[in-house]
Amino acid sequence: MLRQMLTRTRKDALMNEIQQYKSLLAQYNMTFNDLVDLCPRDQQAREYAKRMAKSIASHPKIVIHLQNIHQELKEYEPPIDQRYHRYVIALVILYSGEFKHLYRYLNQD
């Protein structure tokens, strides 16, 4: 019984985080379906995008000015491919937010 309650609590927490993340993505005109198309297919490119997003998320001033992320990304070397900008934004939202369940789920690869 306790195990079922814990599982249900974790599931509810994950669902809540998904809804919050979905709302934040919508502020940047993105959906989960967009992320499927935006995600780099190449493992190296995907890892590079994750590292870049973590780096950006660790700088609160950049996170605060996320709406200007395209300008901010242009300062990083090597320059990130244009098609990955929105993917990196989505990751920055994830890494800079309180999404511990969602983060753990997405980092199982």
Side-chain angles (χ1 to χ4, degrees), residues 7 16 21:
T7 302
N16 184 38
Y21 189 55

Side-chain angles (χ1 to χ4, degrees), residues 30-41:
M30 283 188 273
T31 66
F32 280 109
N33 289 336
D34 293 333
L35 296 182
V36 172
D37 295 330
L38 296 169
C39 180
R41 302 293 178 243

Side-chain angles (χ1 to χ4, degrees), residues 8 13 16 20 23 28 56 68 72 80 85 87 90 92 106:
R8 190 174 326 129
N16 184 38
Q20 290 176 351
S23 294
Y28 295 91
I56 292 169
N68 298 322
E72 301 290 346
I80 193 164
H85 282 189
Y87 180 72
V92 170
L106 293 175

Side-chain angles (χ1 to χ4, degrees), residues 33-81:
N33 289 336
D34 293 333
L35 296 182
V36 172
D37 295 330
L38 296 169
C39 180
R41 302 293 178 243
D42 178 66
Q43 179 68 27
Q44 259 187 320
R46 195 168 43 255
E47 290 303 318
Y48 175 73
K50 286 180 181 180
R51 284 193 312 273
M52 177 174 277
K54 286 178 182 179
S55 175
I56 292 169
S58 71
H59 292 88
K61 287 183 180 182
I62 295 176
V63 174
I64 289 170
H65 299 295
L66 194 57
Q67 64 272 18
N68 298 322
I69 197 71
H70 296 285
Q71 290 300 325
E72 301 290 346
L73 286 175
K74 289 178 184 173
E75 295 177 18
Y76 279 78
E77 289 294 329
I80 193 164
D81 191 311

